[in-house]
Amino acid sequence: MQVPSFSLPEIVADAHAGRAPAGGELDRVCREIGAFVLTGLPLPTGLTNEVLGRTRELFALPRRAKAALVSQDDQYVGWRGTDGNRNEYGYADEKEMFHIGPRVASTLLGLGDRAGSGSGAVEPTRGHTAGLVTAAVADCPLWPAELPGFVEAWHRYYAAMQESAARLGTALAAALGLEPSRWSDMVAGNWADLAANYYPAPAPSGAPGIRNAVHSDLTLFTVLLQDPPGNGGLVMRDRSGGWHDVAPAAGEFVVNVGELLTYLTRGAWWAVPHEVRPAGSAAAGDRLTIPFFYRPSDHHELVPFEVRGAGSVSADAPPTDGFLADTVLADALRDAGPLDVGAWVRRRKLQQRVTS
Ligand SMILES: O=C(O)CCC(=O)C(=O)O
Ligand SMILES: [Fe+2]
């Protein structure tokens, strides 16, 4: 099964015209599947290939250079390796990661001053990028100073993702029937993170392991770029238990609903559990993906929306099969009271950590 596809300019135009985006389909898909393909993002020509290529250069650095990018203070940013390391949910995945956001790298916001300003692609002028790498590296030691092209591409891609997410937010708010300011106030000064997952080709001997164990994201939504061909393997589980393939394709992004939207809609929208299945064999090669994790700053207070179907799933209903999204659903229904995003995320991470 494939997930549905939406054109960003079309669903935004619907929202601006006061129509239900895609004739109500966007809302239905977010309730039932929690994932869709998105096209028509405002990206300058060549930027996705540039960011993918530069990110491959990062993972190709000698291990010692990458180890210098491990954060001492915050295990969720910087570089993390494969050797038996557990991911933030406590699972051992076969992947390396690099993760960064404005809470540790304030220069990421420097190119974002056009956000929300128009319909064209986000492209900083030369004057904007001059001195950027120097400023970024001086500001945050997690940037690889030996790869200026990486630092610049990540800033440009971050700005384009912020603009894309702002536009998508307009359409999602319309799909939920929210006042536009209710959404825009929530994401003003957001702490979206940009990350990369690198899954090496499996060893020629031995069974390939799971690449990214099942989880749902602690975001409002995530916008994922998959390296085409990338070798696939990503699957999403809809609310009724069906698994959907989301194969990489040029010009396509995968959007998945995150647990913050399940919480805010009190269960109406589905934070889709997903995983990256093992590569069939070493011949399948490696895989690179770049997720943009969109969430408000830790200081934002979560106040659930009044939307159709909110809370209509009973808190007493037993979890269907123990997937993580069932837990957040029960939490959302229990009405946890005022909670800021930072406290919510810390609580979710503790709940998700596996011990074996
Ligand atoms: O690499 C992928 O395809 C999925 C990545 C993912 O789910 C994540 O980083 O949260
Ligand atoms: Fe994910």
Side-chain angles (χ1 to χ4, degrees):
M1 262 190 297
Q2 284 286 335
V3 298
S5 177
F6 297 105
S7 147
L8 181 58
E10 284 176 23
I11 55 177
V12 169
D14 285 340
H16 286 155
R19 297 186 293 263
E25 266 296 284
L26 183 61
D27 181 46
R28 184 192 69 78
V29 166
C30 291
R31 287 167 189 268
E32 295 176 9
I33 303 177
F36 52 88
V37 166
L38 192 65
T39 60
L41 276 64
L43 289 156
T45 311
L47 183 54
T48 55
N49 285 340
E50 170 78 7
V51 80
L52 288 166
R54 295 297 188 181
T55 304
R56 285 188 173 276
E57 290 176 14
L58 174 84
F59 290 114
L61 284 175
R63 199 161 184 92
R64 195 163 19 88
K66 291 186 283 191
L69 309 177
V70 173
S71 167
Q72 302 307 317
D73 324 313
D74 178 344
Q75 59 173 312
Y76 303 112
V77 290
W79 177 82
R80 272 183 296 152
T82 42
D83 25 66
N85 281 351
R86 289 181 175 264
N87 74 4
E88 63 213 81
Y89 309 112
Y91 294 106
D93 291 335
E94 298 203 349
K95 67 168 179 174
E96 290 180 43
M97 254 181 83
F98 182 77
H99 201 127
I100 203 156
R103 69 186 191 280
V104 292
S106 64
T107 54
L108 281 171
L109 299 175
L111 296 180
D113 52 4
R114 290 194 41 192
S117 63
S119 55
V122 178
E123 184 62 307
T125 62
R126 265 186 193 287
H128 267 99
T129 54
L132 171 71
V133 174
T134 315
V137 169
D139 170 62
C140 174
L142 299 175
W143 290 114
E146 61 273 66
L147 296 178
F150 172 91
V151 178
E152 185 182 330
W154 270 52
H155 279 76
R156 291 174 60 211
Y157 187 76
Y158 188 87
M161 279 297 113
Q162 277 285 356
E163 176 65 24
S164 303
R167 293 183 196 180
L168 178 57
T170 307
L172 296 179
L176 286 166
L178 299 177
E179 283 297 319
S181 64
R182 182 82 165 80
W183 185 279
S184 57
D185 289 351
M186 176 175 74
V187 296
N190 70 74
W191 281 9
D193 279 343
L194 187 58
N197 299 302
Y198 179 71
Y199 309 90
S205 58
I210 193 96
R211 287 185 141 173
N212 201 333
V214 66
H215 65 279
S216 41
D217 293 349
L218 302 183
T219 57
L220 293 167
F221 58 79
T222 304
V223 183
L224 183 76
L225 169 61
Q226 307 185 73
D227 189 9
N231 297 305
L234 177 61
V235 285
M236 304 256 164
R237 180 184 170 275
D238 67 28
R239 198 189 277 268
S240 46
W243 286 97
H244 302 254
D245 284 328
V246 275
E252 292 188 355
F253 292 76
V254 180
V255 175
N256 56 283
V257 171
E259 294 193 4
L260 281 168
L261 276 183
T262 297
Y263 184 86
L264 288 168
T265 61
R266 290 190 292 132
W269 278 19
W270 178 244
V272 62
H274 51 285
E275 68 180 21
V276 184
R277 296 198 167 150
S281 70
D286 61 7
R287 170 180 172 81
L288 175 64
T289 59
I290 306 204
F292 179 74
F293 295 116
Y294 197 54
R295 68 174 164 96
S297 88
D298 274 8
H299 313 298
H300 180 80
E301 187 162 294
L302 293 165
V303 180
F305 311 138
E306 290 307 320
V307 299
R308 181 175 62 81
S312 62
V313 189
S314 164
D316 301 326
T320 48
D321 53 15
F323 271 107
L324 299 169
D326 296 317
T327 323
V328 76
L329 194 67
D331 269 3
L333 297 166
R334 211 170 280 132
D335 188 10
L339 199 57
D340 69 34
V341 171
W344 184 89
V345 168
R346 282 192 296 280
R347 203 179 59 159
R348 294 294 303 132
K349 281 185 170 157
L350 287 176
Q351 284 175 351
Q352 287 176 339
R353 192 165 292 278
V354 294
T355 49
S356 56

